[in-house]
Amino acid sequence: KAFHSIIKECHAVYFSTPIIRNIIDLMTDFASEGLQITHKNESAQRFFNNWARKSGFLKTITNAFHTVLLSGNCPILKQVGRISKGDQTELSRASINDLEAPGIRKRFIPVGYTILNPVRIEIEKSEIFGDRNIYFLFTDKDVERLKNPKNDRDRKYIATLPPKFVEEAVKYRKTLLENDRLTLLHYKKLEWQDWSFPIIFSALDDINFKKMLRQMDESSAADVIKAVIIFKLGKLEEGLAPDKNRFSKL
């Protein structure tokens, strides 16, 4: 929960402080610019390019860089689909000799990626036993919509979900994410830490102090403006004293 609060605060600073937002965006552009998939086999190259386009892989990489730089942590959920035998043959020629790809033999490959909000991720880890469970947290609105679907579209979508998924969401307000479907990226962290601190976190005190100084300047400027207005209520050196109506505006 503490890390969730830290991440939320960093998000608020990102959206409210233009210079911080520009720095994060520029770092994301530098990190992801020019990324492409290359392979020595031309047919494999075409396949991977088509796959990257259809699955949104390159866009996911850019968004992952942005999420890691902003939040320090980036959970990515993988969607898997079945490919044709022709595509399986092309992939096998390209991959089996280079790397272990058991999913290809079963004709299942990633077909899409979803970057989850780190604030809605909960990690339960045992340092003694070395296991780690990652849960997705549901909001009250999510649970209410699962209990009482608003329309036919909601009912059809819920019908496609595993019964255990819906049961856990309603009962526990969280569901266990499958390790083989989830990739959790981190910024630099210690081995025993579950979460990474966002890079903005170490500068939060300085940023808030700068904001406080700016508010002081704005308050002083406002007082000066008010003083100028009071000065213009009359012109005593020429015998033009403010009338009662002007004094009433003070």
Side-chain angles (χ1 to χ4, degrees), residues 2 16 41-43 47 51-54 57 64 67 92 96 98 102-104 106 148 151 156 176 180-181 190 209 239:
S16 63
N41 186 299
E42 292 186 5
S43 62
F47 177 88
W51 167 80
R53 177 176 53 83
K54 292 180 180 179
F57 178 73
T67 304
S92 299
I96 292 301
D98 300 332
I104 294 175
K106 298 180 181 179
N148 304 300
N151 47 48
K156 289 180 180 178
L176 180 65
D180 60 341
R181 295 286 183 92
L190 299 175
F209 181 69

Side-chain angles (χ1 to χ4, degrees), residues 47-64:
F47 177 88
F48 283 122
N49 286 336
N50 290 333
W51 167 80
R53 177 176 53 83
K54 292 180 180 179
S55 65
F57 178 73
L58 295 180
K59 182 179 179 181
T60 300
I61 293 297
T62 300
N63 292 335

Side-chain angles (χ1 to χ4, degrees), residues 12-214:
V13 169
Y14 170 80
F15 287 112
S16 63
T17 311
I19 189 170
I20 298 297
R21 184 169 185 172
N22 290 340
I23 290 173
I24 295 295
D25 292 348
L26 282 173
M27 293 174 68
T28 301
D29 292 339
F30 284 135
S32 59
E33 186 178 7
L35 286 177
Q36 59 181 351
I37 301 175
T38 59
H39 198 280
K40 58 186 177 182
N41 186 299
E42 292 186 5
S43 62
Q45 177 74 57
R46 289 193 298 271
F47 177 88
F48 283 122
N49 286 336
N50 290 333
W51 167 80
R53 177 176 53 83
K54 292 180 180 179
S55 65
F57 178 73
L58 295 180
K59 182 179 179 181
T60 300
I61 293 297
T62 300
N63 292 335
F65 275 122
H66 186 261
T67 304
V68 168
L69 292 170
L70 173 59
S71 306
N73 309 272
C74 179
I76 304 176
L77 193 63
K78 175 176 62 177
Q79 291 88 46
V80 177
R82 196 168 189 178
I83 59 175
S84 65
K85 290 185 177 180
D87 289 337
Q88 179 192 23
T89 302
E90 292 294 335
L91 266 182
S92 299
R93 290 173 182 172
S95 303
I96 292 301
N97 294 330
D98 300 332
L99 49 87
E100 290 296 325
I104 294 175
R105 298 189 183 96
K106 298 180 181 179
R107 293 168 55 191
F108 283 98
I109 65 170
V111 295
Y113 300 89
T114 301
I115 296 180
L116 305 176
N117 185 352
V119 175
R120 299 185 67 176
I121 297 295
E122 182 180 274
I123 300 176
E124 292 184 0
K125 180 180 178 182
S126 173
E127 295 184 10
I128 298 177
F129 296 100
D131 57 351
R132 183 179 72 165
N133 294 324
I134 301 176
Y135 296 89
F136 181 79
L137 305 178
F138 293 93
T139 64
D140 293 339
K141 290 183 178 180
D142 293 333
V143 175
E144 180 61 28
R145 199 163 180 179
L146 288 171
K147 289 181 178 178
N148 304 300
K150 292 183 177 180
N151 47 48
D152 291 337
R153 179 178 175 275
D154 287 356
R155 283 185 282 273
K156 289 180 180 178
Y157 176 73
I158 294 173
T160 64
L161 299 174
K164 184 179 179 182
F165 178 90
V166 178
E167 181 183 351
E168 289 180 347
V170 173
K171 188 175 181 180
Y172 303 108
R173 296 180 180 270
K174 64 181 181 180
T175 187
L176 180 65
L177 298 175
E178 300 176 15
N179 289 330
D180 60 341
R181 295 286 183 92
L182 181 71
T183 301
L184 187 55
L185 304 178
H186 299 284
Y187 190 62
K188 295 180 179 180
K189 72 179 184 70
L190 299 175
E191 183 64 27
W192 46 266
Q193 287 181 307
D194 293 333
W195 295 92
S196 297
F197 286 97
I199 60 175
I200 303 175
F201 176 70
S202 59
L204 284 181
D205 288 343
D206 294 330
I207 293 170
N208 291 330
F209 181 69
K210 289 289 187 181
K211 286 186 175 181
M212 184 175 64
L213 291 178
R214 181 177 178 179

